[in-house]
Amino acid sequence: MAIITISRGTFSGGKALAERLAERLGYPCLSREEVVSYAAKEFGIAKEDLAAAFSEPPPFWEQVPGKRIAYLKCVTAAILQSAEGGNLIYHGHAGHFLLRGISRVLRVRVVADMEFRTKAAMERLRINRDAAIAHIERIDNERRKWSRFLYGIEWGDPSLYDVVVNLERLSIEGACETLIRITALPEFNLTRASEKGLQDLTLSSLVWAALARNELTKKLAVKISSDGGRVTVEGSVGSQKVADAIPEIVRQVEGVREIRCEVGVGSDWYW
């Protein structure tokens, strides 16, 4: 049993694989689009803002992730809250980034050659070949910029994944059979350590979501971690008013037992 993230390049067949795999395993299945809608409703943040943080590369003048990171953490919280018994299939392009640190996450990359993707785009979007290729290349380029800016890594790097599936050569059923067998391996079994990792990431993400909803703290560039209900916030903020607001907001998040707020005021305070 596991959480499975399927990173699907545009028109590579990942959506079909995710839905069939969920049917076979009996797991809930969420797309990037669905989880953004859920997070927007759950945390009271505009869907357009969440979607932009999730997919658009940053403008050249944006040097600190700030609000973008907070919104992505809201999406992380929404993904984790949707898991049933710790089981879930998420398909998009960033699940393996958002759920880093959870050992029982099976990270799958679905690929196909450009001809396969182009034909799928032409059929789905009802556009000509040149327009389909341009659309795919634009989306791929945006995702590369996105992952470089926020994580300093290449989205397509195969070392970021446990399995790379080529649906040009392997059928949906064949891919499902392979992934089902992998999830049964001991590496993806629920353990105390993996359960704690899941709980800690969920709580820290919920804290991020609470801060992102508040006008004073929605643009924070801080580090938030959780350890068994003990939440630590580290970094620097622009005013004492913001620094004082952080523990008050964090304290209201269900599951927080203790707060350690190591936040300084001013750009000369480092962490």
Side-chain angles (χ1 to χ4, degrees):
M1 301 299 180
I3 294 175
I4 302 171
T5 63
I6 296 179
S7 179
R8 48 174 174 83
T10 306
F11 299 108
S12 63
K15 180 176 184 291
L17 174 60
E19 292 174 347
R20 180 57 179 149
L21 188 59
E23 185 180 348
R24 291 276 305 270
L25 288 171
Y27 287 9
C29 183
L30 277 180
S31 68
R32 176 179 63 87
E33 296 78 11
E34 289 169 334
V35 81
V36 165
S37 295
Y38 174 83
K41 182 178 180 181
E42 182 74 9
F43 303 119
I45 298 170
K47 182 178 176 180
E48 295 76 15
D49 291 339
L50 287 174
F54 212 78
S55 57
E56 295 179 4
F60 71 90
W61 61 83
E62 186 176 324
Q63 299 297 314
V64 179
K67 184 169 62 174
R68 187 177 294 261
I69 287 289
Y71 286 171
L72 289 172
K73 292 294 185 178
C74 291
V75 173
T76 301
I79 292 173
L80 294 172
Q81 288 183 319
S82 300
E84 295 178 2
N87 299 322
L88 178 71
I89 295 172
Y90 168 79
H91 59 101
H93 70 274
H96 58 300
F97 294 133
L98 301 178
L99 302 181
R100 289 193 301 179
I102 302 177
S103 61
R104 56 191 296 268
V105 172
L106 175 59
R107 305 165 300 172
V108 180
R109 172 79 191 279
V110 175
V111 299
D113 70 8
M114 182 57 82
E115 185 62 24
F116 179 99
R117 299 172 70 190
T118 300
K119 289 180 178 179
M122 291 171 64
E123 181 179 343
R124 179 85 60 83
L125 301 179
R126 299 184 183 278
I127 55 179
N128 64 34
R129 182 179 184 82
D130 288 343
I133 292 173
H135 175 80
I136 291 169
E137 290 178 343
R138 177 179 62 82
I139 298 298
D140 285 353
N141 187 48
E142 287 180 352
R143 290 175 178 175
R144 281 192 292 269
K145 289 181 178 179
W146 184 91
S147 61
R148 286 171 188 164
F149 174 74
L150 288 172
Y151 297 100
I153 53 181
E154 294 295 326
W155 167 63
D157 182 354
S159 69
L160 299 174
Y161 305 91
D162 302 305
V163 182
V164 179
V165 175
N166 188 341
L167 290 181
E168 180 195 2
R169 293 177 53 82
L170 191 62
S171 70
I172 293 290
E173 289 301 324
C176 282
E177 193 64 38
T178 300
L179 296 176
I180 288 169
R181 292 186 181 186
I182 292 174
T183 61
L185 294 173
E187 288 86 344
F188 299 100
N189 288 343
L190 181 64
T191 64
R192 288 185 179 180
S194 64
E195 184 175 19
K196 181 179 182 299
L198 187 67
Q199 292 170 348
D200 287 343
L201 181 58
T202 300
L203 183 57
S204 63
S205 298
L206 288 171
V207 169
W208 266 112
L211 294 170
R213 287 197 303 267
N214 191 285
E215 198 63 31
L216 275 175
T217 57
K218 67 181 183 180
K219 295 183 180 181
L220 291 182
V222 295
K223 179 181 178 182
I224 299 173
S225 59
S226 173
D227 182 7
R230 295 181 294 275
V231 173
T232 301
V233 183
E234 302 171 273
S236 61
V237 296
S239 71
Q240 190 61 48
K241 184 177 182 180
V242 173
D244 292 341
I246 291 173
E248 294 301 319
I249 295 168
V250 173
R251 191 171 291 113
Q252 297 175 40
V253 177
E254 184 176 355
V256 174
R257 298 193 294 107
E258 183 181 326
I259 304 167
R260 178 175 169 238
C261 191
E262 297 291 336
V263 174
V265 177
S267 58
D268 293 331
W269 198 94
Y270 297 95
W271 51 277

